[in-house]
Amino acid sequence: MAFPAPWPSVRTCLALAAVVGTLCAGAPPGPAADLQPLPSAAPQGLGPIALPGLSHTALGTAHVFRSARPDVFIFTRGRAAGLHLLPFLRTGPDDAPVFAPPRPLRAPFDGDRGAIFETPDGAIRCFWIEKNTLRQFTFDRTTLTFAPAGSVSLPSAVGGAQSLAVFPVADGAIDLVFEVAGEATPARSTVTNASSADWRPYDAAGISTAAFRYRYLVAARLPASGRGPLANLRQLSATRRETYWGMMQLSPLPLGLDRARGLIAGSRLGTFHFHPTIDAPPKTSEPLLVAGEDGNALRHPSVGAAPFAYPSSTAGSCHFLASGESALYFYGSTGRFSARGAPVFRDPVPLLQEQAALYAGTLPSPSVVDWDGDGVTDLVVGNSEGFILLFKNVGTDLAPRFFPGERLRAAGRDIHHQAGYSGSVQGTGEARWGYVSPTAFDWNEDGRPDLIVGDITGNYVIYLNRGTPTVPALEAARPLYCDGLDLHGMWRCRPAVGRLGQRIALVLPDGDDHLHLYWKIDDFNVADGGKLRLDDGSLISTTYDPAGGTGRCKLDFFDYDGDGRLDLLAGTGRRGAIPNRQSGYPLPILGQQTLNTPLLLRNVGTNERPVFAAPQPFAHATHGLVQPGGSHESGVVGTKLGGGPGANLLVANEAGRLFLLRGENLRLLTPSEAARYRNQPNPFPVSAPAPPK
């Protein structure tokens, strides 16, 4: 499925951008502008909803502002955790809603284990699960605040439930459906820390050693008084082994008279289950896998599929939204059912807002390249979902303006890297992550950029571009080989690729956790060029912790200081330790409580024989230590985008924002200067993008 683009054509925006680019090419913006995420250049700033957190769960819908269609309450997780309200603006293609920028709300609860709903009389209520208590709140439309409205003790059968669906009843009572812990297969390993040196996620036969935990559904009724106790407590699922690891969210999904009390549940692995009615006899409610238009079960693009119903303008029909560690998506109802009785929905499209920041997906790893040969530099960005997005520059290199990302395709299909059962060093629980990190470079020297890609597996592959200079066309991925064996290194890393002297070189963290040089032989083979070293002769390691704490290093060749030698830029995770575990960055010098930190390793040798100085972090004129935000990992590349007298940086925070930092606003920090930030994380402020000029 191609990533859809529900905004005007690139040709239309190129015409608009020619005028805007001329207007923007005057005096450069001040230093503070660097800390604004790059905005969408589509008309009205249209783009995928840009929330500040790492993953999201819709908690409910209600007509807060009395609009024609409901607004959405959504909770975002991560360092920027909190509740947001998406105000409805208008309806877009295929009945999909378009929203205004998210509005942060002050919530009286911390987490996403609840539901917000509108009663038939127009009141907005909230139920939230806190251990063995169901807390109740009302929401005031005028002040946009919540007020306590009592609580109910939960029986042990539903205590600690992870999600909740609410079905108002005509007499004022409320039917509740809880997601609760079910059966589990025991773990076959006593080591549970995925960053331990003793961690073994698979046995000698390649079989997972993890416990497989299931969830199931329990229903009950809250009396009209709202005071409890719960009545008619019953098991709704046919068994206690309904869904692996978690349903992520539950929601009513009314689909006509005979399915007016239907329910949809998500899953960590991305499938959706539909219960036609919650009124089925106990233990006989067999769920159906929600289907796509081809009749096969839909699978959400990312991990942690959390669905929530959104009303359709067609009677008897209902759409749903779904979130996870990804964009928010809209699944449009077709009004049809499969032969098995499963509801059929269209493929997901990103849920849109106006005045959006560019959203690159979580843990973005960017590359800069003129992808389509039009003379301006575009962005190619990989993310944790496993997709690679193209952000078309409809401005100029001096005044870049980017369209929202569209998925790149190879051999007629969206590029989508996923770990699957055994592809992650952290085990089967990471099956739906990809952590794809592309480097765009003309590897086979035919005048067309190719993609050299690292991902969650630690394997490195190439997508050769067999199109034309102006119409790229990628072949399917092929492995790179060294000494006849698939090229393999640390997971979640971006390889640096560049021309060193007369040869093309590739650098990545090898199996010993050292930066390692390889020389291109042909399209699919490289020669071992040995480990890279600092100017004191020492090797360059990249991480502090073993196992799952390894890798996460995003490398880029770029002549940062303009001396004609390619330096190395490195994007890191919090647990990085470049060049060693004693005096490296970020963790050894900046402490355990730090964030992703871009680094520069200056080449003090030659291009033919590169040798590097000790790494240095960057400081920004108005912000200090450059840490865009997040602890897992994110990328950095050098670029001339934005112009100016110095080299600029394109950096990313882990929530999917991209920032262009101009060289005149940057300087390098000494170790003593950097040490002042020890255990003092310094993320960029969370804010909306500045309106385009």
Side-chain angles (χ1 to χ4, degrees):
M1 178 193 73
F3 195 63
W7 31 77
S9 70
V10 170
R11 180 178 296 177
T12 300
C13 280
L14 283 170
L16 294 172
V19 177
V20 176
T22 301
L23 295 175
C24 292
D34 292 359
L35 307 186
Q36 291 288 333
L38 294 178
S40 165
Q44 292 86 47
L46 199 65
I49 288 173
L51 288 163
L54 198 60
S55 60
H56 325 285
T57 301
L59 297 185
T61 63
H63 293 81
V64 176
F65 301 108
R66 312 289 188 181
S67 303
R69 301 181 74 183
D71 313 299
V72 176
F73 292 89
I74 189 159
F75 189 87
T76 184
R77 291 181 293 277
R79 289 179 178 267
L83 184 66
H84 290 77
L85 180 63
L86 304 178
F88 172 79
L89 278 182
R90 55 187 170 86
T91 299
D94 294 324
D95 208 33
V98 177
F99 296 95
R103 298 181 61 167
L105 299 178
R106 187 181 298 277
F109 48 84
D110 180 18
D112 56 2
R113 295 192 300 166
I116 299 173
F117 60 101
E118 190 170 6
T119 61
D121 62 1
I124 301 175
R125 301 177 64 184
C126 171
F127 288 175
W128 185 62
I129 302 164
E130 185 179 56
K131 297 182 179 178
N132 295 320
T133 301
L134 182 67
R135 298 178 62 193
Q136 303 180 53
F137 304 89
T138 57
F139 183 76
D140 188 298
R141 286 182 170 87
T142 303
T143 61
L144 301 183
T145 57
F146 293 87
S151 62
V152 176
S153 295
L154 295 175
S156 59
V158 296
Q162 290 300 305
S163 53
L164 170 72
V166 176
F167 293 78
V169 183
D171 64 359
I174 293 177
D175 283 334
L176 304 172
V177 179
F178 300 90
E179 174 202 350
V180 298
E183 297 180 14
T185 60
R188 295 185 295 127
S189 172
T190 59
V191 180
T192 58
N193 179 4
S195 294
S196 165
D198 297 324
W199 170 248
R200 298 293 183 271
Y202 306 97
D203 66 15
I207 304 301
S208 173
T209 61
F212 282 78
R213 297 181 175 86
Y214 295 83
R215 315 288 294 183
Y216 72 103
L217 300 175
V218 171
R221 175 163 291 188
L222 179 67
S225 67
R227 298 176 183 173
L230 298 187
N232 194 22
L233 189 68
R234 67 193 189 280
Q235 180 173 321
L236 181 62
S237 298
T239 73
R240 297 190 177 191
R241 294 169 59 91
E242 185 162 307
T243 304
Y244 273 151
W245 288 313
M247 297 179 181
M248 313 312 297
Q249 181 61 301
L250 309 176
S251 173
L253 189 67
L255 296 175
L257 292 176
D258 57 340
R259 302 175 182 87
R261 281 161 61 85
L263 176 139
I264 188 171
S267 72
R268 180 182 172 97
L269 293 180
T271 54
F272 301 101
H273 291 88
F274 177 68
H275 290 258
T277 176
I278 65 167
D279 299 317
K283 300 188 180 182
T284 63
S285 180
E286 291 281 0
L288 300 163
L289 286 171
V290 172
E293 293 186 275
D294 61 0
N296 296 309
L298 282 170
R299 201 168 196 224
H300 195 58
S302 77
V303 69
F308 207 92
Y310 196 84
S312 168
S313 58
T314 303
S317 181
C318 190
H319 310 305
F320 72 92
L321 318 176
S323 54
E325 190 177 313
S326 65
L328 302 174
Y329 288 93
F330 173 79
Y331 288 81
S333 174
T334 66
R336 304 194 305 271
F337 295 85
S338 71
R340 297 186 64 249
V344 175
F345 289 83
R346 291 186 291 273
D347 284 339
V349 296
L351 201 61
L352 301 178
Q353 71 166 79
E354 293 186 353
Q355 300 175 44
L358 293 179
Y359 178 76
T362 54
L363 281 56
S365 181
S367 188
V368 291
V369 65
D370 179 3
W371 183 249
D372 53 7
D374 64 356
V376 293
T377 303
D378 309 302
L379 309 181
V380 172
V381 187
N383 57 38
S384 69
E385 287 179 82
F387 293 113
I388 300 177
L389 305 181
L390 170 66
F391 293 83
K392 171 67 182 169
N393 185 353
V394 294
T396 65
D397 280 0
L398 180 61
R401 289 168 53 81
F402 298 99
F403 243 23
E406 296 185 47
R407 292 178 190 161
L408 286 182
R409 295 166 66 82
R413 302 182 64 180
D414 291 349
I415 296 172
H416 197 193
H417 291 229
Q418 297 269 273
Y421 182 90
S422 58
S424 170
V425 299
Q426 292 191 156
T428 51
E430 292 254 327
R432 290 303 314 279
W433 272 281
Y435 303 122
V436 65
S437 299
T439 298
F441 187 84
D442 183 8
W443 179 260
N444 59 359
E445 302 178 89
D446 64 356
R448 295 165 289 189
D450 310 298
L451 293 180
I452 301 92
V453 176
D455 66 10
I456 190 171
T457 66
N459 295 318
Y460 291 82
V461 300
I462 185 166
Y463 292 89
L464 287 175
N465 184 353
R466 300 300 193 186
T468 69
T470 57
V471 184
L474 296 175
E475 289 186 337
R478 296 274 297 272
L480 291 172
Y481 299 101
C482 182
D483 296 331
L485 186 64
D486 300 53
L487 184 62
H488 189 85
M490 291 295 175
W491 74 324
R492 299 165 66 162
C493 291
R494 178 186 188 268
V497 183
R499 181 174 291 278
L500 295 182
Q502 299 303 309
R503 294 190 288 177
I504 293 175
L506 179 151
V507 171
L508 54 85
D510 65 19
D512 296 322
D513 190 37
H514 296 139
L515 293 189
H516 203 117
L517 173 67
Y518 300 90
W519 297 107
K520 177 196 168 189
I521 297 175
D522 58 29
D523 289 355
F524 308 112
N525 292 274
V526 296
D528 190 341
K531 297 175 187 288
L532 294 177
R533 295 180 181 270
L534 294 182
D535 51 4
D536 64 4
S538 61
L539 299 173
I540 307 171
S541 62
T542 66
T543 51
Y544 191 88
D545 291 329
T550 56
R552 308 166 185 254
C553 181
K554 316 297 185 182
L555 298 171
D556 180 52
F557 273 132
F558 186 74
D559 182 8
Y560 187 80
D561 53 12
D563 64 1
R565 295 171 288 191
L566 288 183
D567 308 303
L568 274 176
L569 289 162
T572 67
R574 176 183 64 82
R575 292 181 287 178
I578 301 175
N580 56 58
R581 297 180 183 180
Q582 292 74 45
S583 60
Y585 293 97
L587 196 150
I589 287 182
L590 300 180
Q592 290 278 353
Q593 304 302 315
T594 191
L595 300 175
N596 306 336
T597 308
L599 304 172
L600 174 69
L601 290 85
R602 291 182 56 248
N603 183 357
V604 293
T606 65
N607 281 331
E608 292 77 6
R609 296 181 180 275
V611 176
F612 296 92
Q616 290 179 270
F618 296 87
H620 184 269
T622 63
H623 181 72
L625 177 67
V626 172
Q627 290 186 324
S631 60
H632 292 83
E633 73 223 45
S634 60
V636 56
V637 291
T639 181
K640 290 296 185 180
L641 280 169
N648 303 329
L649 297 181
L650 180 72
V651 299
N653 70 12
E654 68 175 27
R657 307 297 194 283
L658 302 169
F659 303 84
L660 185 59
L661 309 183
R662 288 162 175 81
E664 63 264 31
N665 302 325
L666 297 171
R667 68 180 181 88
L668 295 167
L669 290 178
T670 66
S672 60
E673 289 176 317
R676 298 172 188 167
Y677 291 90
R678 185 171 182 83
N679 292 320
Q680 301 293 323
N682 194 43
F684 290 178
V686 177
S687 61
K693 296 182 180 179

